[in-house]
Amino acid sequence: MNMDALLLSLRLALCVSVILLAGGLPLAYWLAFSNWHGKFLLETIVAMPLVLPPTVLGFYVLIAMGPHGPLGKLWQMFFGHGLAFTFEGLVLASVLYSLPFAVQPLIASFESVDRTLLDASAVLGAGRLRTFWRVILPLSIPGVVIAVVLSFAHTMGEFGVVLMVGGNLAGVTRTVSIDIYDHVQSLEYAEANRMALVLLAISFAVLSVVYAVHRRVGRRLWTPWTAK
Amino acid sequence: MDTVDGEINRAVLTARLKMERLRPDSPPFLLDISIEVPPGITILFGPSGAGKSTVLDCIAGLARPDQGRIAAGEEVLFDSHAGINSPPQARRIAYVFQTLALFPHMSAEENVAYGLDGLPHQERSARVEEILEAFRVDKLRARKPPEISGGERQRIALARSLVTRPRVLLLDEPLTGLDAELKAAIVDDLRAWNAARRIPILYVTHTREEVDALGERVMAMDHGRVVSEGTPIEVLEAPRRKRLAQAAGFENLLSATVVDLREADGVMRVHLNGSLSELEVPLGYAAAGDRVRVAIRAGDILLATMPPQGLSARNVIEGRIVRMETCGTLVRARVDCGVEFIVHLTPGAVRSLELAERCRVWLVLKTHSCHLVEE
C-alpha cells in the first residue's frame, strides 16, 4: 500500500479541517446573524462548490495560482516559488472546495440557538464576542463536530480539484484518490482495491459519526445531501 | 448598603414610546404609551397582542422605538431627539423572559454568575451565594436547567437577573403555568428581596388572577395604549363594556342618551352627553331616555374644512382641532365638538387640507359607523 499517499491525504485533510474551522466560525456567524440585504450573494458563493464540477473549480483555481494569476504572483513575491502543483496550493484549493461542508452545518446550528438566550446574554451585560463563546458556540458543538468531520472526509476523498491543481507528484500532491486512479490505469487492481477499502472505511466511520451526532441532538442539523 | 444602592432607591422608570410596526394582512400595529413605574411592583395587564412584551423589549434595549424617551431615575437610556440609545449591555435593566431563557448548558450557579463577569472571583461567589439563598435555590447550584423543576427554574431566573443589582426589573409572564401557591411563594421572596432595594419592577401578565394576587398598581394595555390605570379593583372592575369596545379597536367611546327611535328607518337619534350634538345611529334595543354608549373607530370618521353638502351620511358635527400628533404614517387629531373625538388622518390629507391645531372642522359620520354598546 502506498503509505505516502495515505499520509499525504491525512495531512491535507487535517490542514483543511483546521483552516475551515478557524475561518468557518466567523464566516458562519456573519451569515447566520447579519441583516445585510446582499447576504444571499455570499451564501451563493459559499454553496457554489456543492454544484460546481470539481474540474471547473480546479481549473479556475489553477489559473489564479499560475505564474500569471494573482494568487500565484502574490505567492511568488512572498515565498519565492509558485503555488500551483505544491502542497500549499492543494490546501488552498481544498479549502475552497470543502467550504460549504464546514460553513453550512455551522450556520444551521448557530441559527438553531434560541434567540431569547442571546437577548438574555445581552441584558446580562455580555457583548457579542462573549455571547458567542459562552452561549452560541457551546450550544453548537454538534454542528462544529459535523463541520469538522465532513470537511475532513470530503477532503480525503476529493479527486478532480486535486488533479487539476496538484497534478500527480509523489509525496507532494499524489493523494489517495489519485493513487487509486493511477493503479487502475496501470491495471493494478489489487493495489487499487486496498487503497479504495481504506477510503471506504474512513467514509463509513465519518458518516457514522455524523449520524450518531444527529441522533444525540435529536434533530437534523445539516447533511450535504439535504442541501444538494 | 453601597452608594449604588442608595442611588437606586430614588429611581423611577419613565418611558414614553411611539412605535409603528407593519404587519402582513392586518392594519399596522401602533404602540403609543407613556408610563411611569415607581419602586415596587407595577403590573402591565392586557390581552396578548396588546404590545406588552414590545414595551419591555424597548425598555431593555432589545427593540428600538421610533420616537420617545426612556429614563431610569436621572439617567436617560433612550431619547430619539437627543440621539441617545444605550445598548442593552449598558442599561443595567434586568429582564426575566417568558421562557426564562436559562442557559441550558450551564449549571444553576454558572447561570447566576453569568452577569457578574469582570468582578473579582471572591465577590462574585459571595454575591451568587447570597442570591441563591435569598431565592432558596442554593441546593440546586450544580444542576442544569433541564434537570430543575418548574418553580425552581423561575427562582433561578430571578436570581440570575437580580444578582447584577439592576436598577429596574422587567418580568414577562414569568410565572405562567405555575399553581397559585407556588406563584405566591415566589412573589413573596421577590417582595422580600425588593423590600430593602426598592427598584421599580414592571410585571407583565394577561391573567386577572395574577393581577389580583400581585396587585399594587396596575396599568391595563390594549392595542398599544394604556387604557386604564390604578388599583386592581379600579382597573378590573371598570365597566366591562368599555373594555370590550376598546378591545375591538374603537378609539372613540362616547356616552349618550337616546332621544327618539325611528323604527321605520332602522335608526334612532341619540344626544351626546356633555355636548349639544346629536347623532343618528343604528336602531338598538333601547327606549327614549336610556343611556347608551356609542363606539366609533377613529379611521371611520371623515373630516371636512367646510360645511359639507349633498352627503348620504346623516351625521355632520362641527368642532375644532385641539391637538394633532404624528405617529409614524398616521396623524391622530383630537377634535373638540363639546365631546372630544379622535380622528385618524393621513399626513397627505393633513397637508392638502392645511389642517392645523385650532382649525374649524366638520366631522362626517355614517350611521353604520356608529356602533352601539349598552351602558
Side-chain angles (χ1 to χ4, degrees):
Chain A
M1 193 162 55
N2 187 344
M3 283 310 283
D4 278 354
L6 186 60
L7 285 177
L8 180 73
S9 278
L10 287 171
R11 194 154 64 96
L12 179 65
L14 195 70
C15 286
V16 169
S17 307
V18 169
I19 291 171
L20 277 179
L21 182 63
L25 287 176
L27 182 58
Y29 179 89
W30 190 81
L31 285 172
F33 297 109
S34 162
N35 292 321
W36 183 49
H37 292 298
K39 192 168 84 169
F40 72 97
L41 286 174
L42 197 63
E43 284 174 319
T44 307
I45 292 171
V46 168
M48 283 285 271
L50 288 175
V51 291
L52 218 53
T55 44
V56 172
L57 184 77
F59 172 68
Y60 285 115
V61 173
L62 183 64
I63 297 297
M65 283 179 182
H68 304 295
L71 278 175
K73 277 187 191 158
L74 208 66
W75 199 267
Q76 184 79 37
M77 220 167 76
F78 282 100
F79 298 99
H81 60 87
L83 194 52
F85 308 113
T86 63
F87 180 72
E88 291 83 356
L90 212 53
V91 170
L92 190 75
S94 304
V95 163
L96 290 177
Y97 187 46
S98 293
L99 193 63
F101 292 83
V103 172
Q104 293 194 348
L106 290 177
I107 294 176
S109 54
F110 290 172
E111 281 177 344
S112 72
V113 173
D114 180 1
R115 297 287 164 121
T116 328
L117 295 180
L118 311 186
D119 286 344
S121 178
V123 295
L124 287 167
R128 282 191 200 184
L129 200 62
R130 189 165 134 78
T131 300
F132 179 75
W133 286 114
R134 296 283 315 271
V135 181
I136 298 173
L137 194 59
L139 292 173
S140 302
I141 290 300
V144 173
V145 171
I146 290 172
V148 170
V149 159
L150 282 181
S151 38
F152 187 89
H154 193 239
T155 308
M156 275 302 285
E158 78 182 48
F159 177 73
V161 173
V162 178
L163 199 61
M164 293 298 280
V165 174
N168 185 2
L169 305 174
V172 182
T173 61
R174 185 187 292 166
T175 59
V176 175
S177 55
I178 304 277
D179 195 54
I180 294 171
Y181 181 71
D182 268 0
H183 286 308
V184 173
Q185 291 283 294
S186 334
L187 302 178
E188 298 159 356
Y189 287 166
E191 275 292 322
N193 184 35
R194 266 199 291 271
M195 283 313 259
L197 273 177
V198 171
L199 267 194
L200 201 70
I202 290 174
S203 303
F204 181 80
V206 155
L207 289 182
S208 7
V209 169
V210 170
Y211 279 102
V213 170
H214 275 152
R215 209 185 154 83
R216 255 196 88 162
V217 296
R219 62 172 193 269
R220 285 282 149 91
L221 280 172
W222 188 82
T223 43
W225 35 99
T226 56
K228 269 180 179 170
Chain B
M1 210 70 12
D2 54 32
T3 51
V4 175
D5 284 344
E7 178 191 318
I8 283 167
N9 290 340
R10 293 186 299 274
V12 172
L13 172 73
T14 55
R16 269 193 295 112
L17 308 170
K18 276 188 188 175
M19 195 167 162
E20 186 180 4
R21 283 287 167 270
L22 297 175
R23 300 174 299 185
D25 309 324
S26 53
F29 173 75
L30 283 174
L31 181 73
D32 182 1
I33 65 162
S34 176
I35 59 173
E36 204 165 286
V37 187
I41 299 179
T42 301
I43 294 168
L44 193 57
F45 169 70
S48 53
K52 307 185 299 292
S53 297
T54 311
V55 171
L56 295 194
D57 284 352
C58 287
I59 294 170
L62 299 173
R64 193 198 157 104
D66 300 331
Q67 276 180 55
R69 186 176 184 276
I70 300 166
E74 302 281 283
E75 193 175 333
V76 179
L77 305 174
F78 177 82
D79 190 327
S80 52
H81 290 301
I84 298 171
N85 183 21
S86 61
Q89 287 88 349
R91 292 197 179 191
R92 285 185 46 228
I93 289 185
Y95 194 162
V96 177
F97 298 86
Q98 193 171 4
T99 57
L100 305 180
L102 291 170
F103 303 123
H105 57 296
M106 294 182 199
S107 68
E109 192 173 10
E110 287 166 334
N111 262 286
V112 172
Y114 189 86
L116 296 179
D117 194 45
L119 281 188
H121 179 75
Q122 221 165 0
E123 190 182 347
R124 200 170 152 161
S125 23
R127 296 243 304 242
V128 170
E129 194 63 32
E130 180 199 24
I131 200 108
L132 285 175
E133 276 170 27
F135 284 92
R136 303 169 210 271
V137 281
D138 43 317
K139 301 234 167 24
L140 304 170
R141 71 183 68 230
R143 290 214 220 147
K144 290 186 177 169
E147 306 156 4
I148 298 171
S149 67
E152 276 158 345
R153 272 206 295 273
Q154 275 80 356
R155 290 170 175 277
I156 289 163
L158 281 170
R160 179 178 74 172
S161 295
L162 294 172
V163 76
T164 58
R165 300 195 180 153
R167 45 185 157 209
V168 173
L169 173 62
L170 307 174
L171 301 163
D172 191 1
E173 314 206 9
L175 305 181
T176 306
L178 300 182
D179 63 55
E181 212 172 309
L182 210 46
K183 273 185 195 174
I186 294 174
V187 170
D188 281 350
D189 286 338
L190 178 60
R191 281 224 173 85
W193 184 90
N194 201 34
R197 289 154 184 93
R198 300 293 296 158
I199 65 168
I201 298 177
L202 191 56
Y203 187 110
V204 158
T205 182
H206 72 275
T207 62
R208 294 178 64 115
E209 291 72 32
E210 285 190 25
V211 176
D212 286 332
L214 284 162
E216 292 169 24
R217 295 182 63 246
V218 183
M219 289 183 285
M221 239 189 120
D222 204 355
H223 283 79
R225 307 232 166 84
V226 171
V227 292
S228 56
E229 200 170 343
T231 65
I233 293 173
E234 286 165 358
V235 172
L236 294 180
E237 304 303 319
R240 211 165 249 279
R241 282 293 180 184
K242 180 169 179 174
R243 276 193 293 131
L244 280 180
Q246 285 191 336
F250 295 101
E251 289 82 359
N252 295 292
L253 207 53
L254 312 163
S255 58
T257 311
V258 177
V259 179
D260 60 12
L261 309 177
R262 300 176 185 176
E263 280 161 0
D265 295 334
V267 298
M268 60 189 191
R269 292 200 67 78
V270 299
H271 170 250
L272 294 178
N273 297 342
S275 80
L276 301 170
S277 307
E278 284 190 358
L279 279 181
E280 187 181 282
V281 302
L283 195 62
Y285 289 105
D290 278 359
R291 289 170 67 87
V292 292
R293 274 180 181 271
V294 180
I296 306 160
R297 291 200 172 84
D300 282 350
I301 303 176
L302 294 179
L303 196 145
T305 48
M306 281 181 292
Q309 287 175 342
L311 282 175
S312 66
R314 305 288 294 163
N315 299 309
V316 176
I317 303 173
E318 193 184 339
R320 197 176 282 279
I321 295 177
V322 287
R323 259 201 92 176
M324 289 209 296
E325 301 164 342
T326 306
C327 199
T329 57
L330 193 91
V331 178
R332 226 151 46 100
R334 294 177 180 276
V335 180
D336 184 7
C337 307
V339 291
E340 198 174 85
F341 282 85
I342 294 170
V343 182
H344 284 174
L345 301 158
T346 61
V350 173
R351 276 195 301 276
S352 71
L353 292 178
E354 296 179 347
L355 294 175
E357 290 178 1
R358 308 183 59 81
C359 263
R360 224 171 124 200
V361 292
W362 284 263
L363 303 185
V364 180
L365 298 121
K366 286 168 70 176
T367 302
H368 287 280
S369 294
C370 303
H371 302 268
L372 217 58
V373 178
E374 266 179 39
E375 178 76 289

